[in-house]
Amino acid sequence: IPLVSVQGDLQYIDRPAIRAVIEPYLNARFLELDVHALRAELAAMPWVAGSSVQRIWPDQLVVHLDEQLPVARWGGGALLNSDGRVFVPDDLAGFVHLPLLNGPEHSRELVLQRYQQFNRQLRSRGYAIAELTLQERGSWFLTTSDGIAISLGRNQLNDKLERFLTVDRRLLSERRDQIARIDLRYSNAMALAWRSPASIGTGE
């Protein structure tokens, strides 16, 4: 039976599950061991982003695994890696802190790119994105980590965010916790809804 070495910086991949995949292949003679089939089976595991299997004479099998790097949740039931590819681990409970991205299935990479762009813009003013949604008709909606819902519409998205950040810098920064919704779908204006209208203008 070959000596098996599993390599890689593994945080989420379950080592007993890896062993369970490898063990049936160890019954074959060393030179007859199907490294291509083993590599494919390992690559199909949810947390494996890439795999390589190498036979080293006379009796060593070296398995190297690259782990998925989760950057966001997708649609509530899956995760996205840094390339915008979806994968579905057994348990999502430990990833509720990641932003939630939604959109048509074919739009995953686009939504991730937009999230990264918007997040860079908003981060300059201390905002972070908790949720970003692309609707079927092409409209974008985001929610900040402090609960502000922002409607962006379809076009000139970065310009609209910059307009909001300009107003935020001049007028809104001290009242940020009172903002409920911001509508940026207008060409040269924005609408704002407060959480507590009665307190606006009282200085409280």
Side-chain angles (χ1 to χ4, degrees), residues 2 13 20 30 39-40 57-58 60 72 82 94 100 122 143 168 177 180 187 197-198:
I13 294 175
F30 187 63
R39 184 177 61 191
W57 186 261
Q60 188 175 5
S82 53
L100 175 60
L122 292 168
T143 304
D168 175 77
D177 60 342
S187 57

Side-chain angles (χ1 to χ4, degrees), residues 85-98:
R85 297 179 181 174
V86 68
F87 64 103
V88 184
D90 293 333
D91 186 8
L92 293 174
F95 302 95
V96 293
H97 64 286
L98 292 176

Side-chain angles (χ1 to χ4, degrees), residues 6 19 40 42-43 48 68 71 85 91-92 95 101 108 115 119 125 132 149 151 174 177 180 184 189 195-196:
V6 177
R19 187 74 190 184
L42 289 167
V48 176
Q68 300 278 14
V71 296
R85 297 179 181 174
D91 186 8
L92 293 174
F95 302 95
L101 309 184
R108 289 194 303 264
Y115 162 75
N119 209 41
R125 290 292 300 156
L132 178 64
S151 301
E174 295 182 1
D177 60 342
L184 299 173
R195 296 184 197 272
S196 304

